[in-house]
Amino acid sequence: MVLPLYWKQYVASVTEWWSSVKTAHSVWRLTRLYTGLLLSVVTILLVVLYQLSIGQMNRQQGLQMANIIAQQTSLAEQLSTEQFIEQFKLQAQSSRQYILSYQIEQQLIGRLSAPPTTLSQCPSLSRFPIWLDQFDEIRLVSGCAQPMASGTLIVAVDDESLYELKAQFISASAVALLLAVLLGIITGLVFSMRVLKRINSFNQVALRVESGQLNARVAVSDHNDEYDHMALHINTMLNQLQHSFETVSGITDAIAHDLRTPLSHLRQQIESEILTKQQLNHPSEQLESMLDKLDEILFTFSAMLELTRLQQQKESNTKHFKTVDLQQVIIDAVDLVEPLAEEKQQVVSIESAEPFSIQGDATLLFRAIYNLLENASKYAGNKAQISVQLTPRGFTVSDNGPGICDIEKEKVFQRLYRIEKSRGVAGFGLGLTLVKAIIQLHNGKIELLDNQPGLIVQVEFSN
């Protein structure tokens, strides 16, 4: 469909306005949408009111002028010129609302003393001034000229009152639209802020649960509205999730706790047996292998118990937080991991030396950064490039190894989860889980990104 030029401009303006509404901030987007709808409703009402009042009067006036022109044209065709002029003089004198004149060559018959200098052909109307003897004043009238067989018919109507009414209507409409804009902005802002305040409370709870605070709940007001109903449903869901998580975590930790003591005793017995065999010069390789595997099991149990402590006792863990120089922690972690990297001919570098401090536990942060560097050294491969970079909100650890596919980037943070291709490398599937728990304990966020090739571990702190 081909649109006229002025319609294309109008459609382009509406499209641009709608695009700006969609991309604006939520409060302003809702406010502008509400104001736009309110303005549209007021505009439609004003247009309808205009058409039913002033528009109807205009249409009736135009119809009556058309009837007069048709009547005079018919008489001019039926009568002779002299007869038509006689009857026209009578009608021109008797007509009070309409001003009729008939011009034959230089002669002007009717109520006008002189023809207007510029006059449109009917049905288009022109406005021109005339002198009204009965009011003793100059008034503006609207009229047109209609060519006829023997002359030109001039029809005009005194519509100055109608024009004044139009001007008053336009002024009142402008004031109404201005009030509609102000009312829309004020009520839209109040409405949007009240709605978004409730929605933001849901988002805040979701962020707290995401950071590990499973006891976070949505506040329920006494309004008993739809938001309160949704808050109750979400709180019920969170209660069930917390209960399920604590049940599974409790069972796992109970098993780890109960088995750790007998396994520790077993380890002591194996160590004693190894010493006895070494004193008797008997082979002890099999017992040493069993001891290594037992150490792995004990380390896994200890890591799981520590992970539970970090996730469930967040408030008590943060009480001893102090100012930590993250740059120094990174330098210490790099120093510790360099021997491992040298065995694989890897290069570990610190790309930025900008100072950055946070409130936290230096030991836990060191452990998190060291775990990330150790993981990079394990999985990036020989001769890999590993770098640590401080950022304005945290740090990144990147390498140019094989990386992690998108589908497994969130799974690697789960307990005991290991990527299939990494099962040949020593590990327990708890390193990144512990790192995430430590970062969340410090109000941080960890995310895995592609380095093309390789992996970027991005850590950002909110404080």
Side-chain angles (χ1 to χ4, degrees), residues 301-313:
F301 287 169
S302 298
M304 291 173 64
L305 292 173
E306 184 180 5
L307 182 60
T308 302
R309 180 179 62 81
L310 290 173
Q311 292 177 334
Q312 295 186 349
Q313 301 176 3

Side-chain angles (χ1 to χ4, degrees), residues 156-310:
V157 61
D158 182 5
D159 58 353
E160 193 163 328
S161 300
L162 184 59
Y163 264 76
E164 291 178 357
L165 184 60
K166 286 181 182 178
Q168 293 174 358
F169 187 89
I170 292 172
S171 299
S173 299
V175 173
L177 291 174
L178 181 61
L179 291 176
V181 171
L182 293 176
L183 180 65
I185 291 175
I186 294 173
T187 55
L189 278 176
V190 173
F191 175 76
S192 301
M193 292 179 71
R194 291 190 62 179
V195 171
L196 291 178
K197 183 180 178 182
R198 301 295 298 273
I199 294 176
N200 286 336
S201 67
F202 288 92
N203 288 332
Q204 291 298 323
V205 170
L207 290 175
R208 291 175 61 190
V209 173
E210 184 182 354
S211 65
Q213 299 181 42
L214 297 180
N215 58 346
R217 296 294 182 269
V218 182
V220 181
S221 69
D222 54 358
H223 296 156
N224 196 27
D225 55 12
E226 290 79 2
Y227 291 103
D228 290 327
H229 298 164
M230 185 165 59
L232 290 173
H233 291 311
I234 291 176
N235 288 342
T236 303
M237 179 188 67
L238 290 176
N239 287 334
Q240 294 176 349
L241 283 177
Q242 185 181 14
H243 176 71
S244 300
F245 179 82
E246 290 176 350
T247 300
V248 174
S249 179
I251 293 173
T252 306
D253 294 339
I255 294 173
H257 186 270
D258 292 343
L259 289 180
R260 191 168 61 171
T261 301
L263 288 175
S264 297
H265 293 161
L266 179 60
R267 187 183 189 282
Q268 292 175 357
Q269 293 176 6
I270 293 175
E271 281 184 329
S272 176
E273 189 66 21
I274 290 174
L275 287 175
T276 302
K277 285 183 175 295
Q278 288 176 347
Q279 290 173 357
L280 298 175
N281 291 326
H282 290 170
S284 60
E285 290 80 6
Q286 189 173 3
L287 289 175
E288 290 175 354
S289 176
M290 292 173 60
L291 186 63
D292 292 339
K293 293 179 180 177
L294 194 58
D295 285 340
E296 292 179 359
I297 296 173
L298 287 171
F299 179 83
T300 304
F301 287 169
S302 298
M304 291 173 64
L305 292 173
E306 184 180 5
L307 182 60
T308 302
R309 180 179 62 81
L310 290 173

Side-chain angles (χ1 to χ4, degrees), residues 8 25 27 62 133 203 226 248 259 263 318 328 393 409:
K8 288 182 179 178
H25 189 273
V27 174
D133 295 333
N203 288 332
E226 290 79 2
V248 174
L259 289 180
L263 288 175
T318 57
Q328 186 59 48
R393 298 186 61 185
K409 282 178 180 171

